[in-house]
Amino acid sequence: MQGEDAMRPGDVLFERFRIGACLKTGGMARVWLAEDLHSGETVAVKALGRDYWSSPYDVDERVIRSEAFKRFERERDLLDKFAGPGIPRLLDYGFFRGGPCVVMELISGKNLRDFLSLHQPPPMVAAAAIGVQILEILDRIHKGGVVHRDLKPQNVVLADNGSVHIIDFGIALPTDPQATRYTRHGHTPGSTGYMAPEIIRGVKNPTPAADLYGFGCMLYEFVTAKQVFSELRDRSIEDQHRSDPPPRLDPARHPVGADLADLTWRLLQKEAAGRPSLADGLEVLRRYLPRLGDPAPSPRLHPDPTLPFREGRESPPVPAAPAPVQRQRPSVRRRQMPSRREFGDLLDAAEREVLAQQPGMHTERVVARLREVEAAWGPRERLVVRAQLVRADRARLEGDWPGAGRLYRTVERTPLEAKDVDLLLESRLGVAECLVPEKDDTEAAFTLWKAVVIELRGLPRSPLKVYGRCREFAAELAEWGHRDEVETMLSSLGAARPPEVR
């Protein structure tokens, strides 16, 4: 039902995280507090909004839902990619009641909007400490080939220990121009008041300079306690960011030198090419940092962003020296090989669960052991390929169409032996089944299904599982406008020799 939450307080996610209060609602997702039942720690759970994920939809809304999910999946991947200082750790990911969710480290502290509401403006040493940490995190993100696109005070968290964290990678974008853009038609990604002019104009491939513009807006606010532009009767904030000259900080009225005033002004230039580099920003801001052993700002701040600099930040770990060469060959404990018979029995039980469309304990155990058996027997081993298909089937039944499609394609690209043609056909059927909800492409789905049927006709006996899946999917294809062609293909399939049990 539209508007209904799939997640509620008291629910237990992945048999480990007990859901508590809703922390934040906005955009396309909700963020919940949760208790980690293993460690006792409080974590954050971000779930795609129910309105996006399970409401009735027409073709256009189906595309919106698909893009919303893909942005959500990309955010999961980026959290995993940038794991480290200044970005919350990704703890788990999966589906709950048909909707995707991620479990992240909860940063205890205040977001920058709340911090600035208490300290308007903050002392210059505190502003510099926040700015330097933001730029250091952005440097890592940009070098990793990503633009955040939504840098604003609400997406920066100041932890209790004074460290800065950038959150919410929901609309982050790879700088690779070939990367898919998951942006709704007519919707400009970003937040009013911090959006770079080129994004407002609709540029498809913003550079890291777009994040530096957002940072410049925040830096101006740190110093003046005012946003760069405010709503006017005849001009919106977006219009002013797109076209109006940026304001200049005045060293006579603000606690900044000419260098910082000039940096802020250059960060706010309309054209991306006219903005300074990230390294230039760090060079200027570091001149305003507190020194080791300096007293705390007065009045005291909580959280205090100067603390890491006054007490000394942790240095990067020094690489360990190479271990001396062992002259005597060490004893090695031989790793016990998994039992093929035992894993085969487990697979049979998991496949029965999938056939009943109820992936359960056996399916989870197969997926949990997949890496172990693949390492032992190799990716082309039949038991391993069957396990890969179980994992893909689970994702499909949970509604993770893009993830399932990717897993089926992995099997399809595996060079299998001739005797495993049934597994190849099964993977192709899976790809076809995912094409409709993932890309709304019934024509491609029918073409791929037809190719599988033709190959089935050429086999001495049709594999039972593939034969059944072909007929089930045929009913859906018939409803999507391919009835006559589907009936013709099915009649030819029925003339083939009876299917055999795998």
Side-chain angles (χ1 to χ4, degrees), residues 264-318:
T264 307
W265 184 77
R266 291 167 59 210
L267 287 167
L268 296 175
Q269 292 303 297
K270 302 303 176 190
E271 299 303 324
R275 294 170 207 150
S277 69
L278 190 148
D280 291 338
L282 281 172
E283 181 182 357
V284 171
L285 280 172
R286 281 172 176 158
R287 299 169 190 161
Y288 292 80
L289 287 174
R291 293 185 174 84
L292 191 65
D294 278 357
S298 181
R300 288 189 175 273
L301 308 173
H302 184 73
D304 180 1
T306 70
L307 190 63
F309 299 93
R310 293 187 296 104
E311 295 191 350
R313 296 197 290 175
E314 292 183 6
S315 301
V318 178

Side-chain angles (χ1 to χ4, degrees), residues 299-367:
R300 288 189 175 273
L301 308 173
H302 184 73
D304 180 1
T306 70
L307 190 63
F309 299 93
R310 293 187 296 104
E311 295 191 350
R313 296 197 290 175
E314 292 183 6
S315 301
V318 178
V325 177
Q326 296 284 343
R327 297 186 179 278
Q328 185 177 358
R329 187 174 182 180
S331 60
V332 178
R333 175 181 290 182
R334 183 180 297 274
R335 184 177 62 184
Q336 186 174 1
M337 292 288 285
S339 163
R340 292 178 184 272
R341 180 174 179 178
E342 180 267 334
F343 189 71
D345 291 343
L346 179 62
L347 257 177
D348 291 341
E351 288 171 342
R352 287 193 293 270
E353 290 179 344
V354 168
L355 186 62
Q357 298 189 5
Q358 294 180 338
M361 175 184 65
H362 298 101
T363 303
E364 295 303 319
R365 287 178 59 196
V366 164
V367 174

Side-chain angles (χ1 to χ4, degrees), residues 321-434:
V325 177
Q326 296 284 343
R327 297 186 179 278
Q328 185 177 358
R329 187 174 182 180
S331 60
V332 178
R333 175 181 290 182
R334 183 180 297 274
R335 184 177 62 184
Q336 186 174 1
M337 292 288 285
S339 163
R340 292 178 184 272
R341 180 174 179 178
E342 180 267 334
F343 189 71
D345 291 343
L346 179 62
L347 257 177
D348 291 341
E351 288 171 342
R352 287 193 293 270
E353 290 179 344
V354 168
L355 186 62
Q357 298 189 5
Q358 294 180 338
M361 175 184 65
H362 298 101
T363 303
E364 295 303 319
R365 287 178 59 196
V366 164
V367 174
R369 294 191 59 190
L370 187 50
R371 183 175 298 179
E372 170 199 356
V373 297
E374 184 174 356
W377 304 326
R380 298 175 60 184
E381 160 65 39
R382 184 176 177 86
L383 290 175
V384 174
V385 178
R386 285 174 58 193
Q388 296 278 18
L389 287 170
V390 163
R391 181 170 67 164
D393 289 338
R394 181 191 68 169
R396 173 176 55 85
L397 292 171
E398 287 181 339
D400 180 4
W401 304 104
R406 185 171 61 249
L407 292 170
Y408 285 127
R409 291 184 188 97
T410 297
V411 175
E412 187 185 22
R413 290 193 295 266
T414 302
L416 302 178
E417 297 182 20
K419 65 181 179 63
D420 294 326
V421 65
D422 58 323
L423 303 183
L424 176 63
L425 296 181
E426 189 177 331
S427 69
R428 288 178 180 168
L429 261 182
V431 173
E433 289 171 324
C434 292

Side-chain angles (χ1 to χ4, degrees), residues 6-20 30 32-38 43-47 72 91-104 398:
M7 195 170 288
R8 303 180 185 90
D11 287 338
V12 177
L13 182 67
F14 310 147
E15 301 182 353
R16 176 174 176 180
F17 305 101
R18 181 183 289 121
I19 303 301
R30 291 179 175 87
W32 301 80
L33 294 175
E35 178 191 2
D36 185 340
L37 299 178
H38 291 183
V43 299
V45 176
K46 186 172 183 178
F72 198 81
L91 303 176
D92 210 336
Y93 173 84
F95 282 73
F96 185 76
R97 293 181 182 148
C101 49
V102 292
V103 184
M104 301 172 288
E398 287 181 339

Side-chain angles (χ1 to χ4, degrees), residues 23 31-34 41-45 88-89 91 103-109 157 159 165 167:
L23 185 64
V31 180
W32 301 80
L33 294 175
E41 295 179 354
T42 302
V43 299
V45 176
R89 288 179 294 123
L91 303 176
V103 184
M104 301 172 288
E105 173 188 14
L106 178 69
I107 307 301
S108 178
V157 175
H165 299 257
I167 62 171

